[in-house]
Amino acid sequence: MPTNEKEYNGYLFDQLSAIERIERCLKNGGEKAAMEEIEILKKEINRKLYQQPPVRAE
């Protein structure tokens, strides 16, 4: 969960960027290009989602 407004805004900007990338693909390359872009975005999200948490120095 977002811990503060700045972090939450970062999530919203990431989502907006993803939508803009898909829209650009639809305009320039059509449905197939948009589907390919969606697959790339899914891979990027999964890398972030399943990355190991940072090691804390204590």
Side-chain angles (χ1 to χ4, degrees), residues 2 7 13 16 23-24 26-28 30 32-33 35 39 44 53:
E7 186 177 356
F13 279 120
L16 183 58
E23 286 177 335
R24 190 171 40 251
L26 283 169
K27 289 178 185 175
N28 297 329
K32 183 178 180 195
M35 291 304 294
E39 288 302 317
E44 291 174 359

Side-chain angles (χ1 to χ4, degrees):
M1 293 305 247
T3 58
N4 58 43
E5 186 176 347
K6 185 176 180 180
E7 186 177 356
Y8 183 69
N9 284 343
Y11 294 139
L12 294 176
F13 279 120
D14 287 344
Q15 291 174 353
L16 183 58
S17 294
I19 291 169
E20 290 170 345
R21 287 169 62 177
I22 294 168
E23 286 177 335
R24 190 171 40 251
C25 287
L26 283 169
K27 289 178 185 175
N28 297 329
E31 186 178 334
K32 183 178 180 195
M35 291 304 294
E36 290 171 0
E37 188 66 28
I38 289 169
E39 288 302 317
I40 292 168
L41 285 166
K42 282 182 187 177
K43 289 177 185 176
E44 291 174 359
I45 292 167
N46 279 323
R47 267 196 310 272
K48 291 177 185 178
L49 186 62
Y50 296 113
Q51 70 183 357
Q52 296 295 320
V55 177
R56 291 185 185 188
E58 292 184 31

